[in-house]
Amino acid sequence: MFNMLNLIRNEHMKLFKQFSTWVMVGLLVLVLLIVGIATKYLADSQTSENWKMQLQAENQQLTEQKEQVPDIGKSHDVLEERIAINQYRIDHDIPPIENKTLWGFMNSATNLTSLVTLFTIVIAAGIVAGEFSWGTIKLLLIRPVSRSKILLSKFMTTLLFALYNLFILFISSFIFGAIFFGFEGKELPYLAFVDGEVVERNMITHILTLYGLNSVDLIMMVTFAFMISTVFRNRSLAVGLSIFLMFTGQQVVMLLSEYEWVKYILFANTNLSQYMNGQPLVEGMTMTFSITVLLVYFILFVTMSWTIFQRRDVAN
Amino acid sequence: MERNPIVQMKNVTKKIGPKTIIDDLTLDIYRGEVFGFLGPNGAGKTTTIRLMAGLIELTDGDILINGHSIQKNFEKAIAHVGGIIENPEMYKFMSGYDNLVHYARMFPEKISQERIDEVVRLVGMEKRIHEKVKSYSLGMRQRLGLAQALLHSPSLLILDEPTNGLDPAGIREVRNYLRNIAHEQNIAVFVSSHLLSEIQLMCDRVGIIQNGKLISVESVSNLVENREYVAVRIETEPVQKTYELLKQSYPDKKVTITDQAIQMEAKREDLPDINKLLVTNGIAVYEIMSNKGTLEEKFLEMTGGNIDV
Ligand SMILES: Nc1ncnc2c1ncn2[C@@H]1O[C@H](COP(=O)(O)OP(=O)(O)O)[C@@H](O)[C@H]1O
Ligand SMILES: [Mg+2]
């Protein structure tokens, strides 16, 4: 165990002694700052004093829409949820969360987890392939440490890098949010729709849940990149392939969604929020099903990486 | 000298694809000796070292280090091995010192800061050790490579062409240091090289590898004795007459005609006599050359030219 800790320290040292690592962390904060400034000075205020009237109008529209469209899948459920939450706001005097507030900003900052995913893919792609291209792999592997432990320390360091970045994103979105928009409306809850009823939730809990949901995609893509990096020892291939799949995977799955088998594709399952609001991609998919599929892919990626890394001749 | 070998290579064979790169190599190495592994480029020195270090899998045979199989009991076998394999590639974006800290953390027993400093002093890197490896010359990287190999006081030191990139003074230093640790600290040092001269000065025993086969293992003192015979190339006109004349005068020596010139082995002090003999017999002598170019020729020189290359 002590051994493992040392290996992780080593991987951290190598990671953070590289300038490019800090560039990524810096970029993340910079992008967030730009989003903050743009939101404060460029975006229009969406809601005004008479938000209740706006919501009422919206509800009227939604009710009409509900009568017009046939009830396929869960389309009516989605409309009902929106109507119920709007009504709850009107009844309990809880205005919607505006973009130009602390909560609004922190909510939209969760979208930047895809940037964290991107950066972590780059790290995952380099952390094994780099040792091969630098030639340092030879000196790394002639120590009384098993190859599987070395690989594990690299995988854990990659995931920790993602965790640090998510933490930085969360904290800086709080700080920038507080600076730009103040604490007005900080008592407002998040409204969830559970079993046909509107319930109030703590906003921080809700934001953390969003991070959790986004991390599913992150972990899967990063593990994929790690596998490619280990199997092919090629950094560019790992980055290219992972980012390509990250951007096209969802669309391809959408295009093919009329086929039943599409539900076995990784990307049909990475978005777990499909079970919380709205309808799943393919009729009959459940949260349990998706988690099982995700686990199968994860185990597949990990097994591939470990088996190949352990057997490989280091001869370059 | 302890007579239990620290390394036992038993019928070691490595095939990559259809090609046999190491062919049935059997060799023991003992503590307290500097063992030279001599062979031309592409002979299989690095491959043998990779096999010893567990970087590549054996196709056949086994390698035991301290009695532990490098294949089946890797961690135990490698625990007391330090090495440089090919060029000592380090993390260029870190300082030499951080590189050493990195490797020091990979051993089960704690390696103290004092030990790191000690090794740095040993290889004479005190002044530059906190600079990034990027800025090091090849010689300095070689020294840092040696430092990381020595960190955990190994009982077997494997060095792949360790004097590559060193200046003559550095080479002398490394040579003396290796002889010292082998003889005084009872460590086995396994050094590969394609340079005979280097092996001669540094090693106690030498194994010669060619095309993946270990063709001889000898003590260096034997080799040096053989050195008084050199392979000589004589260009004359007419060649055939020269050949017959030499055959007659030196019946116990091997004389051949190769590329329109005479090849023979002779003692260095015989050369003036040979010259005189030819001249007095009316043969035009254009050139008498004793071979000391590539290892292959030197190798022929040592073994009396009776092995086909
Ligand atoms: N990964 C490999 N694949 C195919 N052939 C290889 C590989 N590694 C080495 N060789 C071949 O094996 C032979 C021995 O190489 P090597 O051990 O590096 O020689 P040396 O270190 O003595 O110069 C060479 O002919 C080389 O081309
Ligand atoms: Mg070599």
Side-chain angles (χ1 to χ4, degrees):
Chain A
M1 199 55 238
F2 178 71
N3 210 309
M4 196 63 219
L5 221 63
N6 269 344
L7 294 180
I8 292 178
R9 277 171 78 195
N10 272 349
E11 292 307 323
H12 273 64
M13 175 163 80
K14 288 183 272 187
L15 185 58
F16 289 106
K17 289 268 175 182
Q18 287 176 78
F19 184 64
S20 54
T21 308
W22 291 103
V23 170
M24 288 191 255
V25 176
L27 262 177
L28 180 67
V29 177
L30 186 70
V31 168
L32 187 66
L33 184 65
I34 291 170
V35 171
I37 292 172
T39 311
K40 182 163 173 79
Y41 297 107
L42 301 177
D44 294 328
S45 278
Q46 322 141 285
T47 40
S48 47
E49 297 307 309
N50 48 8
W51 57 269
K52 281 192 186 173
M53 279 170 62
Q54 284 180 358
L55 286 188
Q56 235 145 21
E58 190 187 323
N59 265 3
Q60 210 156 22
Q61 202 187 345
L62 289 173
T63 318
E64 278 168 26
Q65 199 181 333
K66 193 176 143 190
E67 278 156 14
Q68 280 161 15
V69 294
D71 188 4
I72 329 161
K74 288 189 174 177
S75 60
H76 274 199
D77 296 1
V78 180
L79 293 173
E80 268 161 30
E81 179 181 331
R82 292 264 306 270
I83 294 168
I85 288 178
N86 284 345
Q87 195 56 48
Y88 192 92
R89 290 194 184 284
I90 295 165
D91 295 346
H92 295 79
D93 200 25
I94 303 171
I97 303 298
E98 246 199 275
N99 266 353
K100 293 188 168 195
T101 61
L102 175 60
W103 290 153
F105 182 64
M106 286 185 78
N107 255 304
S108 43
T110 60
N111 290 321
L112 285 185
T113 46
S114 54
L115 196 59
V116 177
T117 306
L118 202 79
F119 290 161
T120 314
I121 283 174
V122 174
I123 298 297
I127 202 162
V128 178
E131 301 274 1
F132 282 95
S133 61
W134 299 327
T136 46
I137 188 77
K138 294 172 286 187
L139 291 186
L140 186 70
L141 293 185
I142 56 162
R143 315 287 150 180
V145 180
S146 67
R147 288 191 185 188
S148 57
K149 270 193 191 163
I150 288 178
L151 198 61
L152 182 61
S153 70
K154 286 185 174 295
F155 188 56
M156 285 174 61
T157 301
T158 308
L159 293 184
L160 283 170
F161 176 79
L163 191 67
Y164 306 147
N165 276 281
L166 291 177
F167 185 74
I168 288 171
L169 182 60
F170 179 77
I171 294 295
S172 23
S173 71
F174 179 81
I175 294 173
F176 292 156
I179 292 172
F180 290 137
F181 312 109
F183 289 101
E184 204 180 319
K186 69 173 190 313
E187 69 292 333
L188 291 179
Y190 170 73
L191 299 185
F193 193 69
V194 184
D195 300 330
E197 259 183 85
V198 177
V199 287
E200 296 187 13
R201 291 267 165 84
N202 181 299
M203 188 58 82
I204 291 282
T205 318
H206 168 65
I207 291 169
L208 289 177
T209 312
L210 289 182
Y211 277 103
L213 288 172
N214 290 349
S215 298
V216 172
D217 188 40
L218 184 153
I219 291 173
M220 296 312 295
M221 289 324 295
V222 164
T223 311
F224 178 77
F226 189 81
M227 172 187 76
I228 300 291
S229 163
T230 309
V231 172
F232 296 101
R233 294 179 292 173
N234 186 326
R235 190 195 294 251
S236 336
L237 182 72
V239 173
L241 205 55
S242 310
I243 291 178
F244 175 74
L245 286 178
M246 180 180 154
F247 283 119
T248 57
Q250 300 283 357
Q251 271 94 313
V252 169
V253 161
M254 286 293 173
L255 283 175
L256 299 173
S257 63
E258 59 191 287
Y259 302 104
E260 165 87 12
W261 50 261
V262 87
K263 65 182 181 185
Y264 297 108
I265 295 179
L266 172 65
F267 301 100
N269 298 282
T270 46
N271 178 16
L272 288 180
S273 62
Q274 63 182 313
Y275 302 112
M276 287 168 204
N277 36 40
Q279 58 193 120
L281 189 78
V282 175
E283 180 94 59
M285 279 172 76
T286 63
M287 182 81 122
T288 324
F289 173 82
S290 280
I291 289 175
T292 313
V293 172
L294 289 172
L295 275 177
V296 169
Y297 274 101
F298 183 79
I299 291 168
L300 179 79
F301 294 164
V302 163
T303 315
M304 285 279 278
S305 312
W306 260 260
T307 322
I308 296 217
F309 190 68
Q310 251 162 318
R311 312 242 80 215
R312 149 149 298 146
D313 272 4
V314 178
N316 66 323
Chain B
M1 209 193 271
E2 191 181 322
R3 281 337 294 188
N4 275 343
I6 182 146
V7 182
Q8 292 167 273
M9 294 191 229
K10 298 175 177 170
N11 308 102
V12 173
T13 301
K14 176 68 183 178
K15 293 182 183 157
I16 297 182
K19 214 173 144 198
T20 303
I21 293 175
I22 302 298
D23 193 359
D24 199 25
L25 188 150
T26 298
L27 176 64
D28 286 349
I29 295 155
Y30 299 90
R31 281 171 177 272
E33 71 171 344
V34 182
F35 186 92
F37 200 45
L38 183 63
N41 285 327
K45 302 182 296 295
T46 301
T47 306
T48 308
I49 286 175
R50 284 180 200 277
L51 288 165
M52 285 169 83
L55 288 174
I56 56 180
E57 263 183 278
L58 283 82
T59 310
D60 215 344
D62 203 359
I63 298 177
L64 305 183
I65 299 177
N66 245 341
H68 303 291
S69 161
I70 195 76
Q71 300 254 79
K72 299 181 199 84
N73 211 339
F74 172 76
E75 282 155 74
K76 280 218 169 107
I78 205 79
H80 300 286
V81 178
I84 306 181
I85 292 136
E86 279 188 324
N87 306 318
E89 265 121 359
M90 300 280 174
Y91 302 101
K92 293 198 174 76
F93 49 85
M94 303 202 297
S95 69
Y97 194 82
D98 284 339
N99 270 281
L100 293 180
V101 168
H102 171 268
Y103 293 119
R105 285 198 192 123
M106 297 185 78
F107 293 95
E109 72 279 11
K110 190 172 160 45
I111 292 172
S112 66
Q113 200 171 328
E114 288 75 47
R115 175 62 188 164
I116 298 180
D117 294 339
E118 188 186 335
V119 184
V120 169
R121 237 175 298 119
L122 259 175
V123 298
M125 287 279 296
E126 303 97 310
K127 287 210 187 89
R128 308 277 307 269
I129 196 69
H130 290 288
E131 285 173 35
K132 292 220 163 102
V133 172
K134 257 197 245 278
S135 70
Y136 290 3
S137 65
L138 183 55
M140 288 166 74
R141 285 179 204 185
Q142 218 38 283
R143 283 161 196 266
L144 187 62
L146 193 57
Q148 65 76 30
L150 291 169
L151 268 180
H152 56 298
S153 316
S155 10
L156 169 65
L157 193 57
I158 304 176
L159 305 171
D160 196 3
E161 318 231 6
T163 52
N164 259 358
L166 291 185
D167 52 27
I171 293 176
R172 203 171 325 118
E173 236 174 277
V174 167
R175 186 199 303 149
N176 291 339
Y177 177 69
L178 293 182
R179 290 192 70 84
N180 252 325
I181 53 169
H183 299 154
E184 279 161 29
Q185 296 175 40
N186 204 29
I187 288 175
V189 181
F190 184 94
V191 198
S192 81
S193 177
H194 65 282
L195 297 173
L196 175 68
S197 54
E198 186 171 287
I199 292 286
Q200 234 181 25
L201 290 167
M202 186 157 33
C203 304
D204 304 305
R205 273 202 310 153
V206 55
I208 294 167
I209 183 172
Q210 199 164 34
N211 295 328
K213 288 199 182 77
L214 187 66
I215 52 178
S216 93
V217 180
E218 272 188 85
S219 76
V220 165
S221 43
N222 281 352
L223 272 180
V224 174
E225 272 160 37
N226 282 346
R227 275 277 286 171
E228 58 183 311
Y229 288 92
V230 294
V232 185
R233 189 182 134 90
I234 308 171
E235 265 183 51
T236 56
E237 189 64 50
V239 179
Q240 195 58 36
K241 190 176 166 198
T242 315
Y243 175 74
E244 276 150 26
L245 196 63
L246 287 170
K247 264 292 207 209
Q248 216 169 37
S249 315
Y250 298 93
D252 54 330
K253 298 249 160 66
K254 188 176 173 181
V255 182
T256 56
I257 301 178
T258 320
D259 295 336
Q260 296 302 305
I262 300 292
Q263 290 281 354
M264 74 178 290
E265 60 177 75
K267 285 186 178 171
R268 194 177 153 75
E269 56 262 38
D270 289 341
L271 294 182
D273 292 342
I274 292 174
N275 187 27
K276 202 157 121 201
L277 173 77
L278 298 179
V279 173
T280 48
N281 281 281
I283 292 170
V285 179
Y286 295 104
E287 189 169 62
I288 298 184
M289 197 170 71
S290 58
N291 278 338
K292 44 172 113 67
T294 65
L295 171 74
E296 276 179 19
E297 288 161 332
K298 278 179 179 161
F299 167 72
L300 283 173
E301 215 175 295
M302 287 182 292
T303 50
N306 50 9
I307 287 181
D308 290 331
V309 181

